[in-house]
Amino acid sequence: MKKRIGILTGGGDCPGLNAVIRGVVTAAIIKYDWEVVGVEDGFDGLLNSEKCRQLSLEDVRGILPRGGTILGTTNRGNPFSYPVEKNGKIEYIDISESVIDRIKAMGIDALVVVGGDGSLKIAMELMSKGVPIVGVPKTIDNDLMETDVTFGYNTALETATDALDKLHSTAESHHRVMIMEVMGRYAGWIALESGIAGGADVILIPEIPFDIKKICHAIDERRKKGSRFSIIVAAEGAFPDGGKRVVKQNADSAHSIERLGGVGEYIAGELSGCLDMDVRVTVLGHLQRGGSPSTFDRCLGSRFGVKALELIAKNEFGRMVCLNGRSIKSVSIEKAVRKLKLVDPDGEMVKCAEELGIMLGR
Amino acid sequence: MKKRIGILTGGGDCPGLNAVIRGVVTAAIIKYDWEVVGVEDGFDGLLNSEKCRQLSLEDVRGILPRGGTILGTTNRGNPFSYPVEKNGKIEYIDISESVIDRIKAMGIDALVVVGGDGSLKIAMELMSKGVPIVGVPKTIDNDLMETDVTFGYNTALETATDALDKLHSTAESHHRVMIMEVMGRYAGWIALESGIAGGADVILIPEIPFDIKKICHAIDERRKKGSRFSIIVAAEGAFPDGGKRVVKQNADSAHSIERLGGVGEYIAGELSGCLDMDVRVTVLGHLQRGGSPSTFDRCLGSRFGVKALELIAKNEFGRMVCLNGRSIKSVSIEKAVRKLKLVDPDGEMVKCAEELGIMLGR
Amino acid sequence: MKKRIGILTGGGDCPGLNAVIRGVVTAAIIKYDWEVVGVEDGFDGLLNSEKCRQLSLEDVRGILPRGGTILGTTNRGNPFSYPVEKNGKIEYIDISESVIDRIKAMGIDALVVVGGDGSLKIAMELMSKGVPIVGVPKTIDNDLMETDVTFGYNTALETATDALDKLHSTAESHHRVMIMEVMGRYAGWIALESGIAGGADVILIPEIPFDIKKICHAIDERRKKGSRFSIIVAAEGAFPDGGKRVVKQNADSAHSIERLGGVGEYIAGELSGCLDMDVRVTVLGHLQRGGSPSTFDRCLGSRFGVKALELIAKNEFGRMVCLNGRSIKSVSIEKAVRKLKLVDPDGEMVKCAEELGIMLGR
Amino acid sequence: MKKRIGILTGGGDCPGLNAVIRGVVTAAIIKYDWEVVGVEDGFDGLLNSEKCRQLSLEDVRGILPRGGTILGTTNRGNPFSYPVEKNGKIEYIDISESVIDRIKAMGIDALVVVGGDGSLKIAMELMSKGVPIVGVPKTIDNDLMETDVTFGYNTALETATDALDKLHSTAESHHRVMIMEVMGRYAGWIALESGIAGGADVILIPEIPFDIKKICHAIDERRKKGSRFSIIVAAEGAFPDGGKRVVKQNADSAHSIERLGGVGEYIAGELSGCLDMDVRVTVLGHLQRGGSPSTFDRCLGSRFGVKALELIAKNEFGRMVCLNGRSIKSVSIEKAVRKLKLVDPDGEMVKCAEELGIMLGR
């Protein structure tokens, strides 16, 4: 009997997910002669047989240039803490046994979980209950340990830098301070790299609490030297020294709208109090998750997908594929999710930014 | 003695302004052997001799692909209503005489005013006081009469449609309602054309007050038929039927930050009350003004610049260059600024959208 | 019984074809409650029932951003001159009767032909034999009369200008003459507009035979004034004064490869004889037909599709949809295909280029 | 007295060079308070005092998004084998002594050489004669050892994949075989990565001589299974098994035009003999060197520039900056240029391609 592999994508969507799915499906059929079951909407799909369907080569044709995930995804559906309505209130219960039963019932021999921190932790728990799993790292913020980088980040950087290029001409034409808020709740990689690439004057990241007075001073110094505009890139998780994070809430358990008013707006308010200049805010938001994946992300996603199958073929479960320099390798999932990969405030990239004259808020 | 032409750019910046400036400078020097004086920061620059400088071919080299305006611009500086601080309060006074004196003092024989509605009205007033002026239309919203279209609009459309393409993949992957707020205070052209091109499900424009219940119903119908996501494009000036505009303030007279919370957020609030779906808002904002101008805008800007000089050569003052089909023509400025070019709620483009199954909020 | 509409795309592919198909299918189903039969591979598909299939809303979902045509196309298949192999030789015979029989057999009440010059002429012949037809103009070269422009051209311009921007940096860094050959066998629109937008120094179009000595002289003059590089854009159909066209053959009737060695290479050969500079050629070729259609092309294609159905609803056969300024109108196909829309060597756009200091080869 | 640093860029231009120059100049002035002398046109500029000028912060403002190099470059000018005309013939002589004298005369304390294989070998020779040098690797082909990757490659990949996306729609619409020839004389990285990312069906690289019959067979098999088109990506240095390279000549010592007719055309000729399908060739050529650098390349170039100064500050001469995983390090130039970094025909990336169903020509 043919081996049958399941694949699901969990957490926020990310350019390159389709390359992984295509890689898994194509290599499974062409190289291994296995079957692949696509599970829709992350772990949630494992509860619903209508959300599980066999994937053919035809199903993955032409999806390389497409953003998002053809399988759908959700931030809900943790089987160890599943939201159930009881007497008008939401309770969280453990339904992992029935999920595991369904995996067996579908004849799935191994599960490929494509996800970030959260999804991979769930994967480890399922693994500990006997489900053979391999992980594929997904994080648009680039905050996962044990892999140099993963797909999606490169595309998000392009979107952010392209936006900075666009804001530059308006900032310069109107002699304004333009603030751009980018993704990065805990790790400031997107702000830092796009800021260096986009010629930002100030970069604010969660790893370095900022001093608004120093920012104000720096912009004023620039103005005195003849630069009548300034560009600030702020990670959404950046926060003032002595203050606390002002990350917008994206409640996972409810049908929420995003509350506006993040760090960008906060900084704008402060700066317009201390500077005699127009200040404008742009929140890049969801645009960073979208778009056709870059070459790098398509290629990396494809290689990750193919490598995941190799791990299954070798029965190397509990492992996550990863990029090391130019090589695709694997690492234990446990090691990868232990902590987040943050920007080192004294590391080379921050120092590079400062030596380029960029102000880091400190 | 060589003829001397002045050129200034007024109002919000816009991709293609540099093509106009390059066109004027190049044709003046190469074709007519005239001099060109670049006036910085719109009409404001006419008050300050340091802001007026002769432009050479070297000054305009390589600026075609660049967004914004090398001359700078501002929304301030109307010489007929100039803000002056008096006793701690802002008063608006008429300083047009001194502006006209400065124009004469600089030996400017004719002035090219590149601007929208507001700048062109000021130009007409100066003209009535004896300054020979030709106008070049600039409006990113495409709301100027008497020209099929002007530069900047085409590039803004590309930015908006590209953003819609990006939001599509996230909307589809996460089964969300995504709302994108675009420019258009009085005219819904950007929302309408980018919405048609980007495959929007709902388009809301200032010309058609919307009924939130009908929008809610339409999205719910889509969901029932299997489309688990919806894309809404809303012009910033769209407003609910029976309600009033919720356009964000961009006070020109003060160093303001933009107040968040426009029509996009309003709709999101309403929809999340009546729909059992995640709703997210993206405000495209300043990104629409930025970026390298499209071929269309670079070419149109160049042709406008060259045509403006021809009008001067023929002493056809008080006229504005315009596009008619494939031809560059001219029209009286007065006629052009009489009223705004709005979307016809019963016109071909709206009907086209509706026949494509797009909901217009009514 | 429901009305049944056929649609086919003929000739070279072009960005925006899918917008037309989507427009026709969507409006037919949503607005008119008609059926649409998609005919694959142009007129060729009318000969083969396997190439005709009913199109649903699902079939056209998500195709707006995609280049090419989901129906396929071919340059072969003229039913009035159909290639048949006889005794090892190709003969061309009239099979129009059987094509017309098949159209009737499929119950097609009206046929939408999306095509250029050639396809529209075939459409007229079928029309004269009783097939009710409406035309939608398609030409990437922009050489069709009676419409300001059609879809595909705007996207092709973006590709060409983007390529010019790319070549600029290499030309400047290496102090080279870069020649870029673009599409345009008879009409030089792409070369002219992309050349103006891309800051070309020399533009060569079929409408103005060029004098290689004058080109050589112009580049040398530039060099003497300190510009150590030059950019030449040449339409593939440009040819030397007194010479004849050196358009590459793309035989339609045989399985050909393209013969290399067009006008770009010719000019390079001549220039490297008379200039002491490196000369390089880039042939843009098929890249100009590809890519996601621009907003303008997606919107125009959609409006054309919807308008074509309106013509059918009103029994206005023999007509072609067209763009006039900002309006969608219609015109008799006969009028549209009578002659090509060429660049006027003494018209505004050529004069504009020359006043911008661009050399037109004369 | 202030330390004075020289910087030159050698060999073919490459996106990201300006980021390196900006990084060196900015960090030198802001961090170290050193002076920087920009040397124009590679080593050639060292012979000509007019080609050496001090660079200020103003000189490098706004150059991050620009392709090419503001310093200019050339493939000529090796001081150890300098072309001199003697009696109508070109002779190559050693003028290194006078170059070294000029370096001393200008008071240059250390030289930053940004270049590939060739330029870095010259740098080593100058170093051995006493010039303190640090190297910055530049290769668009990604064939330099000892650095994971260098700037320019990422941008070139985007250009190649974007072109593949464009060709895809035409190939599919017309049922054609499309061949795209990309850069890569000795190393097939661009072909391999863009081919995987762009969904190519056949990838041909210099490291794996190809068998045209097997390619023909593979395409025919695809056709039989219903795929009526195929995409082939061929590195310019790919060559048939048993044959020899057909790389086009780009003679460095003469004012050459490129001879057309590379491997793409060769394959097209062979395939059209054995397949009953249209075959078309696109030579991507110089487009791959152009364009605004990607975020990755801008950021890497900036970090390389800053790191090069740190090496100088630490007197670590004879070393080249490099990327290792996420870290910027350094390595001896000697080690880096010993041999080229080629694709391993049995390595992970080639195997990945084959497991994705891509045919590698063998």
Side-chain angles (χ1 to χ4, degrees):
Chain A
M1 219 181 80
K2 281 190 184 183
K3 191 172 273 198
R4 177 175 287 180
I5 309 299
I7 178 168
L8 66 82
T9 53
D13 74 312
C14 183
L17 284 168
N18 284 329
V20 179
I21 298 167
R22 180 178 176 272
V24 165
V25 171
T26 311
I29 295 173
I30 289 180
K31 156 94 178 172
Y32 297 101
D33 195 23
W34 294 345
E35 289 175 1
V36 179
V37 173
V39 179
E40 290 177 4
D41 299 343
F43 291 105
D44 219 34
L46 288 172
L47 295 168
N48 186 339
S49 59
E50 283 176 17
K51 289 191 169 186
C52 299
R53 60 195 159 96
Q54 194 168 326
L55 295 174
S56 68
L57 289 178
E58 188 57 39
D59 288 319
V60 296
R61 198 183 305 287
I63 69 173
L64 267 174
R66 286 170 53 190
T69 159
I70 59 164
L71 291 177
T73 183
T74 176
N75 293 316
R76 289 186 281 277
N78 179 351
F80 298 96
S81 177
Y82 198 80
V84 180
E85 205 180 317
K86 249 186 189 167
N87 308 327
K89 289 174 69 179
I90 303 287
E91 281 185 27
Y92 293 86
I93 60 172
D94 183 341
I95 57 162
S96 58
E97 287 307 326
S98 57
V99 164
I100 291 166
D101 287 348
R102 281 210 41 75
I103 292 172
K104 284 181 190 154
M106 286 192 285
I108 288 176
D109 298 300
L111 190 62
V112 179
V113 172
V114 192
D117 201 46
S119 301
L120 293 175
K121 280 179 180 160
I122 295 169
M124 273 173 57
E125 288 193 75
L126 285 176
M127 176 91 193
S128 73
K129 293 207 163 188
V131 184
I133 284 182
V134 299
V136 175
K138 175 207 70 73
T139 155
I140 210 155
D141 289 353
N142 195 30
D143 58 4
L144 257 173
M145 292 293 282
E146 301 298 327
T147 185
D148 283 358
V149 73
T150 181
F151 56 88
Y153 176 66
N154 185 277
T155 306
L157 280 184
E158 286 304 318
T159 300
T161 303
D162 180 57
L164 279 176
D165 284 353
K166 286 184 172 154
L167 295 181
H168 237 108
S169 54
T170 293
E172 201 166 356
S173 299
H174 284 275
H175 320 305
R176 279 179 181 155
V177 178
M178 298 295 260
I179 302 167
M180 187 169 89
E181 188 181 314
V182 298
M183 287 193 305
R185 292 196 178 194
Y186 305 103
W189 296 109
I190 291 182
L192 185 54
E193 286 212 55
S194 73
I196 291 174
D201 304 300
V202 180
I203 297 175
L204 306 176
I205 59 175
E207 294 87 346
I208 304 178
F210 59 81
D211 181 333
I212 198 81
K213 278 183 199 146
K214 290 186 181 164
I215 298 172
C216 202
H217 180 74
I219 293 173
D220 209 44
E221 285 299 305
R222 261 179 69 79
R223 195 183 50 76
K224 285 179 191 159
K225 286 180 189 154
S227 292
R228 303 203 306 168
F229 71 97
S230 286
I231 305 274
I232 300 175
V233 184
E236 58 181 327
F239 61 98
D241 200 7
K244 53 181 183 169
R245 286 165 197 272
V246 284
V247 175
K248 286 169 280 183
Q249 285 289 96
N250 276 312
D252 287 343
S253 51
H255 302 298
S256 66
I257 62 157
E258 238 168 34
R259 288 186 225 148
L260 290 171
V263 69
E265 208 190 353
Y266 169 79
I267 298 167
E270 296 293 312
L271 288 187
S272 55
C274 67
L275 285 171
D276 185 28
M277 292 173 79
D278 274 352
V279 183
R280 292 283 188 279
V281 187
T282 298
V283 180
L284 207 48
H286 301 285
L287 298 178
Q288 290 160 95
R289 294 199 173 278
S292 183
S294 69
T295 308
F296 185 91
D297 287 342
R298 295 190 202 178
C299 198
L300 185 58
S302 301
R303 291 164 79 192
F304 274 177
V306 168
K307 179 73 175 182
L309 285 200
E310 187 193 309
L311 291 178
I312 292 172
K314 292 183 176 168
N315 289 312
E316 296 190 19
F317 298 109
R319 296 191 72 78
M320 181 188 91
V321 302
C322 63
L323 178 70
N324 257 204
R326 295 277 289 167
S327 307
I328 304 295
K329 299 197 172 158
S330 74
V331 66
S332 81
I333 295 179
E334 198 182 351
K335 211 171 155 191
V337 300
R338 214 175 293 161
K339 57 175 186 168
L340 290 177
K341 180 174 66 184
L342 301 181
V343 175
D344 177 356
D346 302 309
E348 174 265 335
M349 212 185 280
V350 166
K351 274 173 53 192
C352 169
E354 290 183 329
E355 296 183 10
L356 288 167
I358 301 172
M359 202 263 175
L360 267 287
R362 64 185 174 187
Chain B
M1 218 180 81
K2 280 191 186 183
K3 192 173 273 197
R4 178 175 287 179
I5 309 299
I7 178 168
L8 66 81
T9 54
D13 74 311
C14 182
L17 284 168
N18 284 329
V20 178
I21 297 167
R22 181 178 177 271
V24 165
V25 172
T26 311
I29 295 173
I30 290 181
K31 156 95 178 172
Y32 298 99
D33 194 24
W34 293 346
E35 290 176 0
V36 180
V37 173
V39 179
E40 291 178 2
D41 300 344
F43 290 104
D44 219 32
L46 287 173
L47 294 169
N48 185 340
S49 60
E50 283 177 17
K51 289 190 167 185
C52 299
R53 59 193 159 100
Q54 194 168 325
L55 296 174
S56 67
L57 288 178
E58 189 56 39
D59 289 319
V60 297
R61 198 182 306 286
I63 68 173
L64 267 175
R66 287 171 51 191
T69 159
I70 59 164
L71 291 177
T73 183
T74 175
N75 292 316
R76 288 186 282 278
N78 179 349
F80 298 96
S81 176
Y82 198 81
V84 180
E85 206 179 318
K86 249 186 190 168
N87 308 327
K89 287 174 73 178
I90 302 288
E91 281 184 27
Y92 293 87
I93 60 172
D94 183 341
I95 56 162
S96 57
E97 287 307 326
S98 57
V99 164
I100 290 166
D101 287 348
R102 280 211 42 74
I103 292 171
K104 283 180 190 156
M106 286 192 284
I108 288 177
D109 298 300
L111 189 62
V112 179
V113 172
V114 192
D117 200 46
S119 302
L120 292 175
K121 280 177 180 161
I122 295 169
M124 273 171 58
E125 287 193 75
L126 286 175
M127 176 90 192
S128 73
K129 293 205 163 188
V131 183
I133 284 183
V134 299
V136 175
K138 175 207 70 73
T139 155
I140 210 155
D141 290 354
N142 195 30
D143 57 4
L144 257 173
M145 291 294 281
E146 301 298 326
T147 185
D148 283 359
V149 72
T150 182
F151 57 88
Y153 176 65
N154 186 277
T155 306
L157 280 183
E158 285 306 316
T159 299
T161 303
D162 180 58
L164 279 176
D165 284 354
K166 285 184 172 154
L167 295 180
H168 237 108
S169 54
T170 294
E172 200 165 356
S173 299
H174 284 275
H175 320 305
R176 278 178 182 158
V177 177
M178 298 296 258
I179 301 168
M180 188 169 87
E181 188 181 313
V182 298
M183 288 192 305
R185 292 195 178 197
Y186 305 102
W189 295 110
I190 291 182
L192 184 55
E193 285 212 56
S194 73
I196 291 175
D201 304 300
V202 179
I203 297 175
L204 305 177
I205 59 176
E207 294 87 344
I208 304 178
F210 59 80
D211 182 333
I212 198 82
K213 278 186 198 145
K214 288 185 182 165
I215 299 173
C216 203
H217 179 74
I219 293 173
D220 209 45
E221 285 298 304
R222 261 179 68 79
R223 197 184 50 75
K224 285 180 190 158
K225 286 180 189 155
S227 291
R228 293 170 51 195
F229 71 97
S230 285
I231 304 275
I232 300 175
V233 184
E236 59 181 327
F239 60 98
D241 200 7
K244 53 179 182 170
R245 283 165 199 272
V246 284
V247 175
K248 285 171 281 184
Q249 285 289 96
N250 276 312
D252 286 345
S253 51
H255 303 297
S256 66
I257 62 157
E258 238 167 32
R259 289 186 225 151
L260 290 171
V263 68
E265 208 189 353
Y266 168 80
I267 298 167
E270 297 292 311
L271 288 187
S272 55
C274 67
L275 285 171
D276 186 27
M277 292 174 79
D278 274 353
V279 183
R280 292 283 188 280
V281 187
T282 297
V283 180
L284 207 47
H286 300 285
L287 298 178
Q288 291 160 93
R289 294 200 173 276
S292 184
S294 69
T295 308
F296 185 91
D297 286 342
R298 295 190 204 178
C299 199
L300 185 59
S302 301
R303 292 163 79 193
F304 274 177
V306 168
K307 179 72 175 183
L309 285 202
E310 187 192 311
L311 291 179
I312 292 172
K314 293 182 176 168
N315 289 312
E316 297 191 19
F317 298 110
R319 297 190 71 78
M320 180 188 92
V321 301
C322 63
L323 178 70
N324 255 204
R326 296 276 290 167
S327 307
I328 304 295
K329 299 197 172 159
S330 75
V331 66
S332 82
I333 296 179
E334 197 182 351
K335 211 170 155 191
V337 301
R338 214 175 292 159
K339 58 174 187 171
L340 290 177
K341 180 174 66 185
L342 302 180
V343 175
D344 177 357
D346 302 310
E348 174 264 336
M349 212 185 280
V350 166
K351 273 173 55 192
C352 168
E354 290 183 330
E355 295 183 10
L356 289 166
I358 300 171
M359 203 264 177
L360 267 286
R362 62 185 174 187
Chain C
M1 219 180 81
K2 280 190 185 184
K3 193 173 272 197
R4 177 174 287 178
I5 309 299
I7 178 168
L8 65 82
T9 54
D13 74 312
C14 184
L17 283 168
N18 284 328
V20 179
I21 297 167
R22 180 177 177 273
V24 166
V25 171
T26 311
I29 295 173
I30 289 180
K31 156 95 178 170
Y32 298 100
D33 194 24
W34 294 345
E35 290 176 1
V36 179
V37 173
V39 179
E40 290 177 3
D41 300 343
F43 292 104
D44 219 33
L46 288 172
L47 295 168
N48 186 339
S49 60
E50 285 177 15
K51 290 191 168 185
C52 299
R53 59 194 161 97
Q54 195 168 325
L55 295 175
S56 67
L57 289 178
E58 188 57 39
D59 289 318
V60 297
R61 197 182 305 286
I63 69 173
L64 267 175
R66 287 170 51 191
T69 159
I70 59 164
L71 291 176
T73 183
T74 174
N75 293 316
R76 288 186 282 276
N78 179 351
F80 298 96
S81 177
Y82 199 80
V84 180
E85 205 180 318
K86 247 185 189 166
N87 309 325
K89 289 174 70 178
I90 302 288
E91 280 186 27
Y92 293 87
I93 61 173
D94 183 341
I95 57 162
S96 56
E97 287 306 326
S98 55
V99 163
I100 291 165
D101 287 348
R102 280 210 42 73
I103 292 171
K104 285 180 189 156
M106 286 192 284
I108 288 176
D109 299 299
L111 190 62
V112 178
V113 172
V114 191
D117 201 46
S119 301
L120 292 175
K121 281 178 179 160
I122 295 169
M124 274 172 57
E125 288 193 75
L126 286 175
M127 176 92 194
S128 72
K129 292 204 163 189
V131 183
I133 284 182
V134 299
V136 175
K138 176 207 69 73
T139 155
I140 210 156
D141 289 354
N142 194 30
D143 58 3
L144 257 173
M145 292 293 281
E146 302 297 328
T147 186
D148 283 358
V149 72
T150 182
F151 56 87
Y153 176 65
N154 185 278
T155 306
L157 280 184
E158 286 304 317
T159 300
T161 303
D162 179 58
L164 280 175
D165 284 352
K166 286 185 172 155
L167 295 180
H168 238 107
S169 54
T170 294
E172 202 165 356
S173 298
H174 284 275
H175 319 304
R176 278 176 183 159
V177 178
M178 298 295 260
I179 301 167
M180 187 168 88
E181 188 180 314
V182 297
M183 287 193 304
R185 293 196 178 194
Y186 305 103
W189 296 109
I190 291 181
L192 185 54
E193 286 212 55
S194 73
I196 290 175
D201 304 299
V202 180
I203 298 175
L204 306 175
I205 59 176
E207 293 88 343
I208 304 178
F210 59 80
D211 181 332
I212 197 81
K213 278 184 198 144
K214 289 185 180 166
I215 299 173
C216 203
H217 179 74
I219 293 172
D220 210 43
E221 286 298 305
R222 261 180 67 79
R223 195 184 51 74
K224 284 179 191 160
K225 287 182 189 153
S227 292
R228 292 169 51 193
F229 71 96
S230 287
I231 305 275
I232 301 176
V233 183
E236 60 182 326
F239 61 96
D241 199 7
K244 51 180 184 171
R245 286 165 196 274
V246 285
V247 176
K248 287 170 279 183
Q249 285 289 96
N250 275 312
D252 287 345
S253 52
H255 302 298
S256 66
I257 61 156
E258 237 168 32
R259 289 185 225 149
L260 291 170
V263 69
E265 209 188 354
Y266 168 80
I267 298 166
E270 296 293 312
L271 288 187
S272 55
C274 67
L275 286 171
D276 186 27
M277 292 173 79
D278 275 352
V279 183
R280 294 283 188 278
V281 187
T282 298
V283 180
L284 206 49
H286 300 286
L287 297 178
Q288 290 160 95
R289 293 198 172 280
S292 183
S294 69
T295 307
F296 185 91
D297 287 342
R298 295 189 203 179
C299 198
L300 185 58
S302 301
R303 292 163 80 192
F304 274 178
V306 168
K307 179 72 174 183
L309 285 201
E310 186 192 310
L311 292 178
I312 292 173
K314 293 181 175 170
N315 290 312
E316 297 191 19
F317 298 109
R319 298 189 72 78
M320 180 188 93
V321 301
C322 62
L323 179 71
N324 256 204
R326 297 274 291 166
S327 308
I328 303 295
K329 300 196 171 159
S330 75
V331 65
S332 82
I333 296 180
E334 197 182 352
K335 211 171 155 192
V337 300
R338 215 177 288 160
K339 58 175 185 170
L340 291 177
K341 178 174 65 185
L342 301 181
V343 175
D344 177 356
D346 302 310
E348 175 264 338
M349 212 186 282
V350 166
K351 273 173 53 191
C352 169
E354 290 183 329
E355 296 183 9
L356 289 167
I358 301 171
M359 203 263 175
L360 267 286
R362 63 186 174 186
Chain D
M1 218 179 81
K2 281 191 185 183
K3 192 171 272 197
R4 178 175 287 179
I5 309 299
I7 178 168
L8 65 81
T9 54
D13 73 312
C14 184
L17 284 168
N18 285 329
V20 179
I21 297 167
R22 181 178 176 273
V24 166
V25 171
T26 311
I29 294 173
I30 289 181
K31 156 95 179 169
Y32 297 100
D33 194 24
W34 294 346
E35 291 176 359
V36 180
V37 173
V39 180
E40 291 178 3
D41 300 344
F43 291 104
D44 219 31
L46 288 173
L47 294 169
N48 186 340
S49 60
E50 285 177 16
K51 289 190 167 186
C52 299
R53 58 191 161 101
Q54 194 169 325
L55 295 175
S56 67
L57 289 178
E58 188 57 38
D59 289 319
V60 297
R61 197 183 306 286
I63 69 174
L64 268 175
R66 287 170 52 190
T69 159
I70 60 163
L71 290 176
T73 184
T74 175
N75 293 316
R76 288 186 283 277
N78 180 350
F80 298 95
S81 177
Y82 198 81
V84 180
E85 206 179 317
K86 248 186 190 166
N87 309 326
K89 288 174 71 179
I90 302 288
E91 280 185 28
Y92 293 87
I93 60 173
D94 183 341
I95 56 161
S96 57
E97 287 306 327
S98 57
V99 164
I100 290 165
D101 288 347
R102 280 211 41 73
I103 292 172
K104 284 180 190 156
M106 286 192 284
I108 288 177
D109 298 300
L111 190 62
V112 179
V113 173
V114 192
D117 201 46
S119 301
L120 292 175
K121 281 179 179 159
I122 294 169
M124 273 172 57
E125 288 194 75
L126 285 175
M127 175 91 193
S128 73
K129 293 205 164 189
V131 184
I133 283 182
V134 299
V136 175
K138 176 207 69 73
T139 155
I140 210 155
D141 290 354
N142 194 29
D143 57 4
L144 257 172
M145 291 293 282
E146 302 297 328
T147 186
D148 283 359
V149 71
T150 181
F151 57 87
Y153 176 65
N154 185 278
T155 306
L157 280 184
E158 286 304 316
T159 299
T161 303
D162 180 58
L164 280 175
D165 284 354
K166 286 185 171 154
L167 295 180
H168 238 107
S169 54
T170 294
E172 200 165 357
S173 298
H174 283 276
H175 320 305
R176 278 177 182 157
V177 178
M178 298 296 259
I179 302 167
M180 186 168 88
E181 188 180 314
V182 297
M183 287 193 305
R185 291 194 179 196
Y186 305 103
W189 296 110
I190 291 182
L192 185 54
E193 286 212 56
S194 73
I196 291 175
D201 304 299
V202 180
I203 297 175
L204 306 176
I205 59 176
E207 294 88 343
I208 304 178
F210 60 79
D211 182 333
I212 198 82
K213 278 183 198 147
K214 289 184 181 165
I215 299 172
C216 204
H217 180 74
I219 293 173
D220 211 44
E221 285 298 305
R222 260 179 68 78
R223 196 184 50 75
K224 284 179 190 159
K225 287 180 188 155
S227 292
R228 302 201 306 168
F229 71 98
S230 287
I231 304 275
I232 300 176
V233 183
E236 59 182 325
F239 60 98
D241 200 7
K244 53 179 182 170
R245 284 164 199 272
V246 284
V247 177
K248 286 170 281 183
Q249 285 288 97
N250 276 313
D252 286 346
S253 52
H255 303 298
S256 65
I257 62 157
E258 237 167 34
R259 289 185 225 152
L260 291 169
V263 67
E265 207 189 356
Y266 169 80
I267 298 166
E270 296 293 311
L271 288 187
S272 56
C274 68
L275 286 171
D276 185 27
M277 291 173 80
D278 275 352
V279 183
R280 292 283 188 280
V281 187
T282 297
V283 180
L284 207 48
H286 300 285
L287 297 179
Q288 290 159 97
R289 292 198 174 279
S292 183
S294 69
T295 307
F296 185 91
D297 287 342
R298 295 190 204 178
C299 198
L300 185 58
S302 300
R303 291 164 78 192
F304 275 177
V306 169
K307 179 72 174 181
L309 285 202
E310 185 192 311
L311 292 178
I312 292 172
K314 292 182 177 169
N315 289 313
E316 297 191 19
F317 297 109
R319 297 190 71 78
M320 180 187 92
V321 302
C322 63
L323 179 70
N324 255 204
R326 296 276 290 166
S327 307
I328 303 295
K329 300 196 172 160
S330 75
V331 65
S332 81
I333 296 179
E334 197 182 352
K335 211 171 155 192
V337 300
R338 214 176 290 160
K339 59 174 185 170
L340 290 177
K341 179 174 67 185
L342 302 181
V343 175
D344 177 357
D346 302 310
E348 175 265 337
M349 212 186 283
V350 166
K351 273 173 54 193
C352 168
E354 290 182 331
E355 295 183 11
L356 289 167
I358 300 171
M359 203 265 175
L360 267 286
R362 62 186 175 186

